[in-house]
Amino acid sequence: MPKEKDYYKILGVEKTATKEEVKKAYKTLAKKYHPDVNKEGGATEKFKEINEAASVLGDDEKRSKYDQDGTTYDKFAGRGFDFSDFGFDFGSSHEFSSFDFEDIFDSFFGGGQKRRRSSSRDGADLRYDMELTLEEAAKGTKKTITLPKLDTCSQCKGSGAESSSDIVKCSQCGGTGSMRRVQRTPFGIFSTAAPCQKCRGKGTYIKNECPECDGTGVVKKTKKIEISIPAGAEDGTNLRIAGEGEAGEKGGSHGDLYIVTHIKDHEVFDREGDNIFVKVTIPFTIAALGGEVEVPIIDGKAKLTIPAGTQSNSIFRMKGKGIPHLHGYGAGDENVEVIIKVPEKLTKRQKELLSEFEEESKKEGFFKKIF
């Protein structure tokens, strides 16, 4: 069945337009063609046509039916679209000044029912900066912190009332938390809801406040909290402890606590990501002949095999001896840089042996190769 009117064309939007795009187009055109603003011939009819299109495209069910079989406004309403039915006088200039395009379009979109507001307030998130040693970060640890914060009042359990009988239903809104307001518009009589001023949208109010917290439901406390630091924590790792922030007022939810870690500089190791680096001095004899040396690792000591002929500043990788991966299995590596130590004092026998070594080296052309 062909469409009697192309509502998309009337509003100047594509068929794939979102509700927000339809809303924007409607507001622009409605302000342009409102009879109190536009005195040109045909403006009133154009204004009616724009609102007719918006009333259909602004409703999911009507828009779907229109897209499927071309059903236009008069099919939905059972008759034509006539502003005179609402008693609207286009000659009254005061109507346009009080006309709220946003409220009317929200009515098209089912936005007439506003979310109830509450006088409760959610608690604030807190941050705690924690300093750790490299070993604590690598292995993981538990730390107990002392945190001053707003916590739930133990006397009223957070209600803010002296007793449960002091929480009474609001007489002004009947416990609904909202007051309805009837507004006459060019599209008819619309009823909107606003938060009740007496109970601030909660539906109840406190007759007698808790003397401990003055009706807020929260008091200042100092709380001890045990924090588990996972193995592999890095500098700047952010840990969220749900619900350990400040308590919300009058039933509001608790905030969260965020632990930010800071790793102290280590006197032996340097860290890059999950890898660690260390410098170790070895005797020149082991460097020349090869052998085993003991090197520090993050959780103790380990043996490292040095091959014969090792040069100073050579780096050996010890796989898996670094920092555990924070998000996953395994660990980084430890990189050991060896520095060859030359003895500062020699015994007579050592000097004799080195002299023999020098003579042998000359015979084999060792120093000639060097120079």
Side-chain angles (χ1 to χ4, degrees):
M1 175 180 175
K3 294 179 174 62
E4 297 179 18
K5 294 181 182 180
D6 189 338
Y7 289 144
Y8 294 102
K9 188 175 181 180
I10 291 171
L11 292 181
V13 298
E14 299 293 331
K15 189 174 180 180
T16 56
T18 63
K19 277 189 176 183
E20 196 59 38
E21 291 171 335
V22 172
K23 179 177 181 178
K24 184 178 179 180
Y26 160 75
K27 289 173 66 177
T28 300
L29 292 171
K31 290 178 180 179
K32 179 179 178 181
Y33 289 102
H34 192 285
D36 284 349
V37 175
N38 194 325
K39 301 299 182 182
E40 296 180 4
T44 299
E45 290 304 315
K46 181 68 174 177
F47 184 64
K48 293 179 181 179
E49 196 174 48
I50 292 165
N51 285 283
E52 179 181 333
S55 69
V56 173
L57 299 186
D59 184 287
D60 290 338
E61 185 178 349
K62 291 180 181 180
R63 182 174 180 176
S64 177
K65 192 169 180 60
Y66 170 73
D67 288 340
Q68 289 175 14
D69 57 24
T71 302
T72 50
Y73 185 87
D74 58 322
K75 299 296 191 304
F76 291 114
R79 54 185 173 81
F81 189 82
D82 190 350
F83 282 99
S84 64
D85 290 342
F86 303 118
F88 180 71
D89 181 7
F90 286 126
S92 301
S93 60
H94 74 280
E95 292 283 3
F96 182 73
S97 63
S98 61
F99 185 67
D100 191 339
F101 292 97
E102 190 77 33
D103 283 349
I104 300 309
F105 199 82
D106 282 344
S107 296
F108 290 154
F109 277 62
Q113 293 295 328
K114 302 293 184 182
R115 183 180 297 177
R116 180 187 292 184
R117 296 179 182 177
S118 171
S119 59
S120 64
R121 180 183 300 173
D122 291 342
D125 293 335
L126 298 176
R127 168 175 170 154
Y128 188 95
D129 291 87
M130 179 179 289
E131 196 171 52
L132 301 171
T133 65
L134 184 61
E135 287 83 359
E136 289 173 332
K139 300 175 187 178
T141 187
K142 291 184 183 294
K143 294 274 190 177
T144 299
I145 64 173
T146 301
L147 190 68
K149 63 173 184 172
L150 291 175
D151 211 345
T152 302
C153 175
S154 57
Q155 185 164 324
C156 67
K157 303 297 189 292
S159 70
E162 188 171 3
S163 67
S164 57
S165 61
D166 286 314
I167 303 174
V168 298
K169 184 166 72 172
C170 178
S171 58
Q172 186 164 315
C173 65
T176 63
S178 63
M179 299 293 291
R180 303 204 67 81
R181 179 171 64 94
V182 178
Q183 182 181 15
R184 195 179 73 156
T185 74
F187 313 105
I189 306 299
F190 286 91
S191 177
T192 59
C196 174
Q197 292 184 349
K198 183 175 182 179
C199 67
R200 297 183 181 179
K202 195 173 183 181
T204 59
Y205 70 93
I206 297 174
K207 188 166 58 174
N208 294 306
E209 295 180 341
C210 171
E212 182 71 19
C213 63
D214 295 325
T216 62
V218 295
V219 292
K220 288 184 178 180
K221 290 183 180 179
T222 298
K223 185 176 181 180
K224 288 188 176 182
I225 305 171
E226 186 177 73
I227 307 297
S228 295
I229 304 297
E234 300 179 74
D235 197 78
T237 293
N238 198 318
L239 305 175
R240 173 176 169 265
I241 315 298
E244 286 294 357
E246 292 195 326
E249 294 185 6
K250 298 183 179 179
S253 61
H254 281 64
D256 298 327
L257 171 63
Y258 291 88
I259 305 294
V260 181
T261 60
H262 301 278
I263 314 303
K264 297 178 184 178
D265 290 336
H266 199 276
E267 60 182 10
V268 173
F269 299 107
D270 290 321
R271 178 178 180 178
E272 290 184 14
D274 289 339
N275 297 323
I276 58 175
F277 296 80
V278 64
K279 292 183 178 182
V280 174
T281 58
I282 63 173
F284 77 99
T285 51
I286 290 182
L289 302 174
E292 277 191 345
V293 295
E294 194 174 64
V295 298
I297 57 176
I298 201 69
D299 57 355
K301 294 184 180 295
K303 295 287 186 179
L304 175 65
T305 300
I306 304 296
T310 292
Q311 303 299 307
S312 193
N313 303 117
S314 296
I315 297 176
F316 297 94
R317 183 173 68 125
M318 301 180 71
K319 189 174 178 60
K321 296 296 185 180
I323 307 295
H325 299 315
L326 179 60
H327 302 294
Y329 299 101
D333 303 326
E334 177 172 326
N335 296 279
V336 181
E337 181 181 358
V338 294
I339 308 297
I340 298 174
K341 183 179 180 180
V342 178
E344 296 178 2
K345 293 182 179 180
L346 297 172
T347 65
K348 182 178 179 182
R349 178 58 180 158
Q350 287 173 333
K351 289 178 181 179
E352 290 173 353
L353 291 172
L354 284 175
S355 295
E356 292 179 16
F357 172 77
E358 184 181 9
E359 290 299 322
E360 288 293 321
S361 298
K362 286 179 180 178
K363 290 179 184 179
E364 297 177 5
F366 176 78
F367 290 105
K368 184 182 289 186
K369 291 179 183 178
I370 294 178
F371 297 104

